[in-house]
Amino acid sequence: MYDKAQIQALQQTTKQFLASPLSIELNALKKVLQFHEYQYYVVNEPLISDYEYDQLYQALLKIEAADPACITPDSPSQRVGNSLNSNFETVPHLVPMLSLENSYNAADLNDFDRKARESAGLETITYCVEPKFDGASISLIYENDLLVRACTRGDGVAGEDITKNIKQIRSIPLSIPLAENGIQQIEIRGEVIMSKKAFNDFNEKLKAKQQATLANPRNAASGSLRMKDPKEVAERNLDAFIYHISYLLPIPGKTVNPLLKTHSGSLELLWNMGFRSPEKEKHLVHTIQEVIDYCSIAESGRDQLPYEIDGLVVKVNDLALQEKLGMTSHHPRWAIAYKFKARQATTILENVEFQVGRTGAVTPVAKLKPVAIGGVTVSSISIHNEEYIVEKDLLLGDTVIIERAGDVIPQIVHSIPSLRTGNEKKIQFPTHCPVCNTSLVKESTEAVWRCTNINCSAQIVERIAHFVSKDAMDIKNLGEANIKKFFELGLLKDIPGIYTLDFERISTLEGFGKKSVDNLTTAIEASKQQPLHRLIYALGIRFVGETTAKTIASRINHLLDLTRITEEQLLEFEDIGIKVANSIVHFFHDPMQLNMIESLIQLGLNVEQTSQQQTDGSLTGLNFLFTGTLTQLKRADAEEMVEARGGHILSGVSSKLNYLVVGEDAGSKLEKAKKIASIKIISEAEFIELVKI
Ligand code: IVH
């Protein structure tokens, strides 16, 4: 998209604008911002910090506010949804959006190839194989370089106009260089997706707000497209892959870019025009056997991708040949989808148990007839709350569809009412705590029922389990089963009690040999040195997740600073709203919590912020990527170490990568990196050495 000289010039202008805002010129500023959006959202290699981008963006808003007449539709400011979508108008596609025929095995693919070769009268056909993105399909129309319309697939003939929402997706450019490629109007197709990370982050936010989580990234993406408020769409961090040109109107008398002779060429052109096309992911092959071989390689690598794919799409590469093969009324004859093994399965909802969490929230957990999906046996799934049970129409004894998407926790997709026998029973929500029998309450603003007895044994055990959990104080060997055992034996009553455990007694218990007691003592002792943000998260303050805990820790020097902090001060912190601020202040004024904190300080836990001192610039300008399983560090911590030293984490192997850190069982990334001489391939131990300096 941008060549070396253009990148240098744009970087030069960026520096100049940042250094002397008075020199900013509107058109150049828009180009600079468009360039940085592309670097950030399409190629995933930002060249300026978020802060610098924001400074330039604010400058743009200022100029435009002073003279609204100068606002163009492709200005980066026009991504911000200022008005709600009243309703979505139905609009016809320029070319019907057909679906694809599916294939599931080598025989299906051989069949497809044989038919295509027979119709074409050819011995062999070159195919372009690319991911089948698991999201929501969209079509976009650009005219005279500008994005003029975006719509959903709808019934394939007409879809809904969702232009305002699509403009929130930063990897979709608002303008593209059509004219210079000889094109006046173009209609293109693609898939809006939510990366696994964006999905998990978004669900974390929902959980913190006590809202029901979304089932999978595909539902999250498709649900986003028709949202009323474009600002909410922006919050979901969606992405889009563009993979097909369905219609093209040339500029009379001008030559259309010759890349448009093949499908792979069109992906290259789309990429060059600024789209995230599967240009880097595509795979060209010359026989159907190569397609078949590639399908099994890609299927085994699907979990390594940062987004969900449900198969591959095999396309005849020559566009003239595509034209010749044509289409049926349902699908093109020049393409076929190869579907990976399903990660959905049906099973029976046998029972529902009610678990009490650390905040007293009572969560129904569906007990299922065990079923294998994608290599994992699932027998138990959280079903969140009463509303969720109604929404999914669940009855005891129902046949339900469950789904497991990548790293995502399995979910019930829906029940199948048509299979009911009449013996199914309504799920009865308890009126009293199943553990301590206190009557449950539900606040009007919440979806969950709660046990209000702070001394409920289930809550105490869960608070301790949260404190020691992997993302909190990370005390391995003290799992939930042991906590329960120690609690029942009266050996552990509260969080500070972890640090005064009677190991002599413990070593007399069955299953606690010298080695396991030693490991437990070491892990407990080591946890005292965990960074402050982990301790803040571990305390289990309502609405304070890992991210909020990091924000708080970065703004204070000592845990006890929080006993003096006001809501107003907290509201100035990034991403902290009134509900969170109120909860924090409440927590640090509660005598019971203050007592606990005092005990933890006495016991020698680290309560000071030290990570800022670690921050240095020793890795500034260097790009890192981790692959395989790290054995000594958590990947998130290793990435944090890089960022704290000024380095960047890339999402894939490219010539921009400086270091590939290789853990156990590294796969395709390592192979790819070996082919690029400039990349230094180092072990986890070498990485630790590197960050020590
Ligand atoms: S090509 C006329 N390529 O899969 C051909 N489709 O099951 C247009 N999809 O409706 C489709 N990734 O929403 C194509 N790389 C890809 C795709 C892809 C995902 C979706 C698309 C389509 C559905 C068919």
Side-chain angles (χ1 to χ4, degrees):
M1 167 80 178
Y2 294 94
D3 62 29
K4 230 179 174 170
Q6 286 169 316
I7 294 177
Q8 272 176 0
L10 283 157
Q11 275 292 74
Q12 187 71 34
T13 322
T14 307
K15 273 195 202 141
Q16 185 201 323
F17 285 176
L18 283 169
S20 53
L22 285 177
S23 70
I24 289 178
E25 193 270 317
L26 179 61
N27 282 331
L29 178 61
K30 280 194 239 177
K31 290 209 171 84
V32 161
L33 285 166
Q34 277 158 0
F35 164 67
H36 289 297
E37 285 188 347
Y38 175 82
Q39 287 298 125
Y40 190 96
Y41 293 103
V42 179
V43 284
N44 212 352
E45 285 163 17
L47 296 175
I48 54 173
S49 67
D50 292 356
Y51 174 73
E52 287 167 324
Y53 177 87
D54 201 47
Q55 290 210 306
L56 295 175
Y57 186 74
Q58 294 302 329
L60 173 74
L61 294 187
K62 220 165 139 186
I63 300 173
E64 291 186 337
D67 179 11
C70 70
I71 304 176
T72 54
D74 66 335
S75 165
S77 67
Q78 295 311 292
R79 291 198 189 271
V80 183
N82 291 324
S83 59
L84 298 182
N85 292 304
S86 45
N87 47 24
F88 299 96
E89 195 191 341
T90 304
V91 285
H93 299 299
L94 299 185
V95 173
M97 279 177 89
L98 298 184
S99 189
L100 294 171
E101 194 184 0
N102 287 330
S103 67
Y104 299 93
N105 49 41
D108 295 344
L109 287 167
N110 275 319
D111 222 28
F112 163 75
D113 174 61
R114 184 184 43 76
K115 282 190 209 148
R117 282 187 297 107
E118 278 171 12
S119 315
L122 291 171
E123 280 288 303
T124 55
I125 291 180
T126 299
Y127 293 108
C128 182
V129 189
E130 62 199 41
K132 185 170 181 314
F133 302 101
D134 201 5
S137 48
I138 50 160
S139 102
L140 308 173
I141 299 180
Y142 287 79
E143 263 169 27
N144 303 322
D145 290 5
L146 289 180
L147 171 64
V148 292
R149 197 188 81 181
C151 60
T152 61
R153 179 173 186 277
D155 62 4
V157 176
E160 284 178 306
D161 186 330
I162 49 161
T163 314
K164 277 188 203 155
N165 285 350
I166 288 298
K167 282 190 171 179
Q168 307 306 316
I169 303 174
R170 305 284 179 140
S171 47
I172 296 182
L174 300 181
S175 66
I176 52 171
L178 278 187
E180 70 184 53
N181 289 295
I183 305 166
Q184 189 175 322
Q185 189 195 36
I186 195 168
E187 186 191 49
I188 54 181
R189 305 261 153 98
E191 204 82 359
V192 169
I193 57 156
M194 202 173 194
S195 71
K196 292 175 189 169
K197 179 170 182 333
F199 174 77
N200 286 330
D201 287 353
F202 189 68
N203 263 352
E204 281 305 315
K205 279 194 194 162
L206 289 176
K207 260 192 235 159
K209 288 193 250 167
Q210 314 272 344
Q211 291 173 4
T213 49
L214 298 167
N216 53 46
R218 178 188 57 246
N219 286 5
S222 63
S224 309
L225 296 188
R226 298 179 71 259
M227 300 205 75
K228 273 208 160 347
D229 186 354
K231 284 200 195 97
E232 277 190 49
V233 181
E235 274 176 25
R236 294 189 172 203
N237 284 322
L238 300 170
D239 240 310
F241 273 97
I242 304 297
Y243 45 66
H244 181 65
I245 299 178
S246 49
Y247 174 81
L248 185 151
L249 181 68
I251 299 175
K254 272 194 112 180
T255 326
V256 173
N257 189 317
L259 276 174
L260 289 174
K261 289 198 173 19
T262 57
H263 174 70
S264 56
S266 68
L267 294 182
E268 195 179 329
L269 178 64
L270 286 166
W271 177 268
N272 292 344
M273 291 200 293
F275 291 102
R276 191 172 182 196
S277 75
E279 160 66 8
K280 308 282 178 246
E281 293 78 6
K282 74 178 187 218
H283 190 73
L284 274 182
V285 291
H286 305 287
T287 65
I288 198 69
Q289 190 52 47
E290 283 178 79
V291 171
I292 294 164
D293 294 345
Y294 183 68
C295 284
S296 70
I297 296 173
E299 183 156 9
S300 58
R302 75 190 280 198
D303 284 341
Q304 270 73 58
L305 293 177
Y307 45 80
E308 285 293 337
I309 65 173
D310 59 343
L312 296 173
V313 182
V314 182
K315 297 176 179 172
V316 168
N317 197 40
D318 183 331
L319 294 186
L321 185 52
Q322 283 192 3
E323 183 97 10
K324 187 170 173 192
L325 292 170
M327 40 191 75
T328 70
S329 57
H330 298 110
H331 51 77
R333 291 199 191 88
W334 44 262
I336 193 162
Y338 172 79
K339 299 274 279 187
F340 291 158
K341 270 173 218 75
R343 274 168 164 173
Q344 278 198 344
T346 54
T347 187
I348 306 289
L349 171 54
E350 292 181 328
N351 193 14
V352 173
E353 286 178 3
F354 293 88
Q355 285 181 357
V356 185
R358 64 188 160 88
T359 61
V362 176
T363 310
V365 179
K367 296 289 159 182
L368 306 162
K369 185 163 176 230
V371 61
I373 344 174
V376 174
T377 301
V378 180
S379 58
S380 184
I381 290 183
S382 164
I383 44 175
H384 309 290
N385 53 47
E386 269 182 313
E387 282 166 23
Y388 189 87
I389 294 172
V390 173
E391 186 195 315
K392 305 273 170 185
D393 186 16
L394 303 178
L395 294 180
L396 288 178
D398 259 345
T399 303
V400 289
I401 296 185
I402 59 169
E403 181 174 271
R404 190 177 76 88
D407 322 334
V408 178
I409 307 163
Q411 303 270 352
I412 293 191
V413 185
H414 55 73
S415 64
I416 312 178
S418 59
L419 294 182
R420 284 183 184 152
T421 59
N423 293 329
E424 293 75 18
K425 291 202 178 64
K426 195 169 178 302
I427 298 167
Q428 285 295 347
F429 224 85
T431 52
H432 289 74
C433 173
V435 178
C436 72
N437 211 28
T438 306
S439 45
L440 301 180
V441 289
K442 183 173 172 181
E443 283 171 33
S444 58
T445 51
E446 286 198 337
V448 289
W449 287 95
R450 275 176 207 285
C451 162
T452 52
N453 172 16
I454 198 139
N455 294 316
C456 169
S457 61
Q459 288 190 42
I460 299 175
V461 167
E462 289 305 318
R463 283 200 291 268
I464 300 175
H466 171 75
F467 188 86
V468 306
S469 64
K470 196 162 128 273
D471 297 324
M473 301 302 272
D474 193 19
I475 307 183
K476 295 189 185 74
N477 317 72
L478 190 57
E480 191 154 341
N482 283 341
I483 294 173
K484 268 195 187 138
K485 193 183 228 169
F486 297 165
F487 184 84
E488 277 158 18
L489 291 170
L491 288 169
L492 180 60
K493 291 195 182 68
D494 52 19
I495 290 171
I498 298 168
Y499 296 94
T500 54
L501 276 172
D502 181 349
F503 288 108
E504 256 178 49
R505 275 260 345 250
I506 290 175
S507 56
T508 64
L509 301 177
E510 206 188 308
F512 285 89
K514 179 165 169 16
K515 191 150 183 259
S516 66
V517 173
D518 280 353
N519 285 343
L520 187 55
T521 335
T522 317
I524 291 174
E525 205 46 39
S527 77
K528 291 184 178 172
Q529 299 314 320
Q530 288 286 19
L532 180 57
H533 68 84
R534 279 179 171 267
L535 177 60
I536 294 175
Y537 173 62
L539 292 176
I541 309 163
R542 258 178 95 186
F543 311 123
V544 176
E546 270 182 279
T547 317
T548 311
K550 278 187 189 160
T551 308
I552 300 171
S554 71
R555 304 285 295 256
I556 60 171
N557 296 316
H558 193 285
L559 183 64
L560 291 180
D561 292 350
L562 293 172
T563 58
R564 292 178 292 273
I565 207 157
T566 63
E567 279 183 10
E568 291 69 33
Q569 286 168 320
L570 284 164
L571 286 171
E572 281 170 18
F573 294 8
E574 199 185 323
D575 272 346
I576 292 192
I578 186 71
K579 202 158 93 176
V580 184
N582 181 278
S583 164
I584 296 168
V585 170
H586 192 261
F587 187 95
F588 285 93
H589 282 84
D590 178 339
M592 195 180 96
Q593 308 292 12
L594 291 176
N595 250 338
M596 172 180 73
I597 291 169
E598 195 47 49
S599 308
L600 294 176
I601 296 175
Q602 294 294 327
L603 289 160
L605 272 74
N606 168 44
V607 283
E608 285 175 21
Q609 170 62 347
T610 49
S611 67
Q612 275 153 355
Q613 289 147 20
Q614 280 172 17
T615 310
D616 65 31
S618 59
L619 303 181
T620 301
L622 296 175
N623 295 322
F624 282 75
L625 180 65
F626 293 85
T627 186
T629 314
L630 302 185
T631 52
Q632 299 176 56
L633 299 169
K634 268 180 65 183
R635 184 177 293 208
D637 291 343
E639 290 181 350
E640 224 172 69
M641 286 161 130
V642 171
E643 281 164 352
R645 287 158 181 78
H648 264 307
I649 304 295
L650 298 190
S651 61
V653 175
S654 74
S655 56
K656 296 273 155 66
L657 187 64
N658 302 99
Y659 286 95
L660 182 77
V661 185
V662 182
E664 282 176 4
D665 299 324
S668 61
K669 285 189 184 136
L670 175 58
E671 291 315 308
K672 208 167 160 194
K674 280 182 185 163
K675 295 187 187 131
I676 306 176
S678 60
I679 300 177
K680 291 191 190 76
I681 298 173
I682 60 170
S683 66
E684 186 180 357
E686 285 169 316
F687 170 74
I688 294 171
E689 272 308 301
L690 189 73
V691 288
K692 258 194 201 161
I693 310 165

